[in-house]
Amino acid sequence: MEDRVRVVIAEDSVLLREGLTRLLTDRGLDVVAGVGDGDALIKTITELNDQGELPDVVVADVRMPPTHTDEGVRAAVQLRKKHPGIGVLVLSQYVEERYATELLAGSSRGIGYLLKDRVAEVREFVDAVVRVAEGGTALDPEVVAQLLGRSRKQDVVAGLTPREREVLGLMAEGRTNSAIARQLVVSDGAVEKHVSNIFLKLGLSPSDGDHRRVLAVLTYLNS
């Protein structure tokens, strides 16, 4: 029980919040709190921190009261600055590049941005929550497509081949090399070669360790 992923949900729709709570708890995660606005999220995390019980991940809607514009993502960015160890997975009705970029501009660990439609793909959604809680990334394919499309003309990625861009896009979604190989119907070895080439072309040395995958994605998106 102590190893269960601990989650705080920030969503102003009571129906959706309860639905997310039921979905995650049914699959073994521990939803420790549910709130309806950004201020309540900050207050709840502060209280949990005072009790020494910070959650592993926050799942937050981008738009919440009172203005329903960017309260959710603002609260998420604030939490990341104060508690960098907390994973943050934001949900949005549609792709909002400015918010995605702002979220990605901070620490490279434990970040996710998904469209709400992905919640219906239960297994993938739960996997994304767990991955972000463990310090990984989970970016919606639509988010990746828009951000990568905007960045393709930048010099920093000019040397990447179309296949390498495709592999990097799948990396940004949080997929492993094996998952990428299955998606592209190629061997694991072929994917490993593409990933190595990406690291080389983006100037990421082996000394960067396991974070090279995230650094590669962030270099690409923020270029």
Side-chain angles (χ1 to χ4, degrees):
M1 294 294 290
E2 293 181 356
D3 294 331
R4 294 174 66 185
V5 173
R6 303 178 74 252
V7 186
V8 169
I9 297 175
E11 166 60 56
D12 63 294
S13 167
V14 175
L15 184 60
L16 180 54
R17 187 167 71 240
E18 292 300 321
L20 290 173
T21 299
R22 178 65 179 271
L23 185 155
L24 294 174
T25 55
D26 282 352
R27 284 155 183 80
L29 284 71
D30 184 12
V31 178
V32 297
V35 299
D37 60 69
D39 289 342
L41 174 59
I42 297 296
K43 180 180 178 181
T44 296
I45 296 301
T46 299
E47 292 174 348
L48 289 172
N49 181 59
D50 291 343
Q51 298 166 14
E53 299 180 354
L54 279 175
D56 300 301
V57 60
V58 169
V59 178
D61 190 357
V62 166
R63 298 172 178 267
M64 289 195 292
T67 68
H68 292 279
T69 54
D70 60 357
E71 283 85 356
V73 75
R74 293 291 180 193
V77 170
Q78 182 177 337
L79 286 175
R80 289 287 295 180
K81 290 178 179 178
K82 190 170 184 178
H83 306 288
I86 299 178
V88 172
L89 174 61
V90 299
L91 302 178
S92 181
Q93 195 67 41
Y94 50 88
V95 178
E96 299 177 88
E97 291 185 22
R98 179 167 64 88
Y99 299 150
T101 302
E102 183 173 5
L103 192 64
L104 289 165
S107 172
S108 62
R109 291 180 55 81
I111 289 293
Y113 189 113
L114 296 179
L115 296 183
K116 287 188 175 180
D117 289 347
R118 304 297 174 189
V119 176
E121 300 169 12
V122 175
R123 181 175 179 178
E124 292 188 13
F125 173 66
V126 175
D127 286 347
V129 173
V130 173
R131 187 161 63 247
V132 171
E134 294 175 345
T137 57
L139 299 183
D140 194 283
E142 291 297 324
V143 175
V144 173
Q146 287 200 29
L147 295 179
L148 295 190
R150 186 190 63 195
S151 302
R152 282 196 176 111
K153 294 182 180 179
Q154 301 297 328
D155 291 342
V156 71
V157 298
L160 296 183
T161 66
R163 176 61 95 180
E164 288 165 354
R165 288 193 184 102
E166 191 173 11
V167 169
L168 185 51
L170 293 170
M171 288 168 59
E173 294 173 23
R175 298 177 189 250
T176 63
N177 284 1
S178 295
I180 293 173
R182 290 194 297 271
Q183 177 73 19
L184 300 180
V185 194
V186 297
S187 68
D188 286 1
V191 172
E192 290 174 4
K193 183 176 180 180
H194 288 311
V195 172
S196 294
N197 287 338
I198 290 168
F199 291 157
L200 179 63
K201 292 178 180 179
L202 295 184
L204 299 172
S205 68
S207 63
D208 292 315
D210 293 338
H211 298 313
R212 284 195 297 175
R213 294 181 75 87
V214 175
L215 291 173
V217 172
L218 294 177
T219 298
Y220 203 26
L221 298 184
N222 292 327
S223 63

